[in-house]
Amino acid sequence: MEGTPANEQVASPRRAPSQQRSRERVERMLAAASALITEQGSDAMRMGEVAERAGVSIGSLYQFFPDKRAIIWALAERYTAESQACISAALKDVSGAEGLRQAFSELVDIYYALFLAEPVMRDIWSGTQADKALRQLELADSRANAEFLVAVLKRLRPDADPIELETTAFLVWQMGEAAVRLAISVERQEGDRLVAAYKRMALRELVGD
């Protein structure tokens, strides 16, 4: 399957801070940007507003983030790293069908709850759809998450075709992301039903009835 391999890092458009003071300044910038996105959305956010709220000069902001896209990218990388750590921890010790059923269901619920609670995550997702490089970052994230699931499936089905398992796992993650994003775009009651339906369909594919 073509695309960005899970172990291939997509190049970030921003400069990474090397000193502690710079890292702290970048943290303030990202916190300010996140708050502004929550309040008004990324389209309305202005670089000058980010600098002012972070208490830095506009030149300092541009030193690390050349444009708004670089800020969105950095926030996306952060959420990606956090989600991968959560998924890895939830799946690393799963060895049976029932354990996979429970862990997978809980992960979907956590992902759904995060999107409901964090407007900035919804805005970041919207940004990835219009930016080819950000879309590649998202695909790389899905492939990495799928690898955690593949490891479990190989323990459950040691004789299965590994390519088939990889395909299934990657598709399950992609469909899950789509299902959650659909769920947050409708009324909460319907969204809950959509997420529950996705979990049932995915688990039938992963562990059977």
Side-chain angles (χ1 to χ4, degrees):
M1 184 181 294
E2 294 183 356
T4 304
N7 60 358
E8 180 179 325
Q9 184 175 1
V10 184
S12 172
R14 71 184 181 95
R15 173 190 160 190
S18 58
Q19 298 180 346
Q20 180 64 25
R21 179 192 281 181
S22 296
R23 287 193 290 271
E24 291 172 354
R25 192 159 60 233
V26 165
E27 285 301 314
R28 293 204 309 273
M29 296 173 191
L30 290 176
S34 182
L36 286 166
I37 291 172
T38 298
E39 293 168 12
Q40 61 192 34
S42 60
D43 288 342
M45 182 182 70
R46 298 290 176 265
M47 296 292 278
E49 291 178 310
V50 176
E52 181 179 0
R53 183 167 295 199
V56 301
S57 68
I58 190 69
S60 181
L61 177 64
Y62 280 124
Q63 182 182 8
F64 294 100
F65 301 102
D67 52 29
K68 211 161 44 168
R69 172 178 173 268
I71 293 176
I72 298 297
W73 188 296
L75 291 171
E77 286 180 323
R78 172 163 298 181
Y79 283 116
T80 291
E82 290 174 354
S83 69
Q84 287 186 9
C86 178
I87 293 164
S88 174
L91 296 179
K92 66 183 179 70
D93 295 325
V94 172
S95 58
E98 190 53 41
L100 176 56
R101 186 184 300 276
Q102 180 177 342
F104 181 82
S105 182
E106 289 176 354
L107 283 170
V108 174
D109 289 341
I110 290 170
Y111 190 64
Y112 182 35
L114 280 174
F115 264 79
L116 288 170
E118 298 286 348
V120 67
M121 289 187 67
R122 300 197 290 270
D123 210 81
I124 288 170
W125 170 74
S126 297
T128 66
Q129 306 313 295
D131 187 308
K132 184 176 180 181
L134 277 170
R135 178 62 179 156
Q136 288 301 315
L137 180 67
E138 183 187 43
L139 285 174
D141 177 41
S142 288
R143 291 183 188 280
N145 293 337
E147 286 186 355
F148 299 131
L149 185 54
V150 168
V152 178
L153 293 177
K154 285 180 176 178
R155 292 196 290 271
L156 267 60
R157 309 180 205 167
D159 298 326
D161 180 354
I163 299 299
E164 181 179 339
L165 296 182
E166 290 169 9
T167 301
T168 296
F170 183 47
L171 184 58
V172 162
W173 280 123
Q174 281 287 295
M175 289 177 65
E177 291 168 2
V180 168
R181 287 157 185 169
L182 174 61
I184 63 171
S185 69
V186 299
E187 293 295 328
R188 177 63 187 272
Q189 247 186 345
E190 184 180 10
D192 290 351
R193 291 197 301 270
L194 288 167
V195 170
Y198 162 72
K199 288 195 292 185
R200 288 194 299 272
M201 289 187 292
L203 286 169
R204 277 199 298 270
E205 181 64 29
L206 294 173
V207 299
D209 295 329

